Amino acid sequence: NIGHAQAAAGVAGVIKMVEALRRGVLPATLHVDAPSSKVDWSSGGVRLLTEARAWPEVDRPRRAGVSSFGVSGTNAHVIVEQAPELPGETPEDVDEIPDRAEQAAVPVPVPVWPVSGRGAGGLRAQAARLAEFAAENRELSAAEIGHALATTRAALDERAVVVAGDRDEAVAALNALATGESVPAVVTGSADVTGKTVFVFPGQGAQWAGMGAELLASSPVFSGRIAECAAALA
């Protein structure tokens, strides 16, 4: 059971029914003490499910309806049908989601390396250590270094991001950061440690034509994920 999902409410209903179809279970209707008195339950074959039960096997695929009656006026009804089982697949197979940390780093067009430290001195010292490490370990790709920095290092209060044209330029930018020199390839800042900063994600209606197009063209990671979503939705 989830709270008000706003624009994602219909997706939650679809996910719920897809899982019910796959697992052969009719889930209970939550928080219903008694059926509504406004409905004639004596006619027709519609009933509330007061408890979960097995979905009967019949001579056709299981089907379910998902309705969305939006307060803004958009009404929709989708009929979902049971998909054919793949050879050897069980419902448990889909639950085995790989750890993202175990996935290989995806090459990016330019090195993007986050660096942080405790205080300005700590940040400069860390930049110097990273510059030396990157220069000596040429067998590690820029993407591998960036992936490790983003996923295995602590994010301390003084921070910088190196966005360079190539590996050598990134090392030069780190050396500049280590000496306190300002260069275009480095962006620095201090984290807000008050705990009062939040991200606010807008609801319906905030999207616009062409949104994300530049990122789609410049980031293989982003475009790869969008391609996966497009294939899944298709």
Side-chain angles (χ1 to χ4, degrees), residues 1 3 8 31 46 51 55 66 98 117 126-127 132 134 150 166 182 228-230:
N1 187 32
H31 313 304
V46 177
E51 60 183 18
W55 196 318
V66 180
Q126 179 61 17
E132 182 180 359
D166 56 35
S182 178
E228 291 176 15
C229 292

Side-chain angles (χ1 to χ4, degrees), residues 180-206:
E181 180 185 352
S182 178
V183 292
V186 178
V187 178
T188 60
S190 299
D192 183 350
V193 295
T194 64
K196 295 181 179 180
T197 302
V198 298
F199 285 104
V200 178
F201 295 93
Q204 294 162 294

Side-chain angles (χ1 to χ4, degrees), residues 5 13 49 60 76 80 133 144 218 228:
L49 285 165
R60 65 178 182 276
V80 185
F133 177 86
E144 287 175 317
S218 62
E228 291 176 15

Side-chain angles (χ1 to χ4, degrees), residues 21-22 31 37 40 53 67 70 97 160-161 173 185 206 210-211:
L21 291 167
R22 285 183 58 250
H31 313 304
S37 61
D40 180 7
R53 62 185 178 88
S67 298
I97 302 173
V161 177
M211 182 176 181

Side-chain angles (χ1 to χ4, degrees), residues 109-113 161-174 184-186:
V110 295
V112 179
W113 293 348
V161 177
V162 174
V163 183
D166 56 35
R167 184 195 190 93
D168 292 335
E169 186 178 323
V171 171
L174 285 169
V186 178

Side-chain angles (χ1 to χ4, degrees), residues 143-160:
E144 287 175 317
I145 294 175
H147 184 265
L149 290 170
T151 60
T152 68
R153 302 291 295 180
L156 304 177
D157 53 353
E158 290 299 318
R159 302 178 186 181

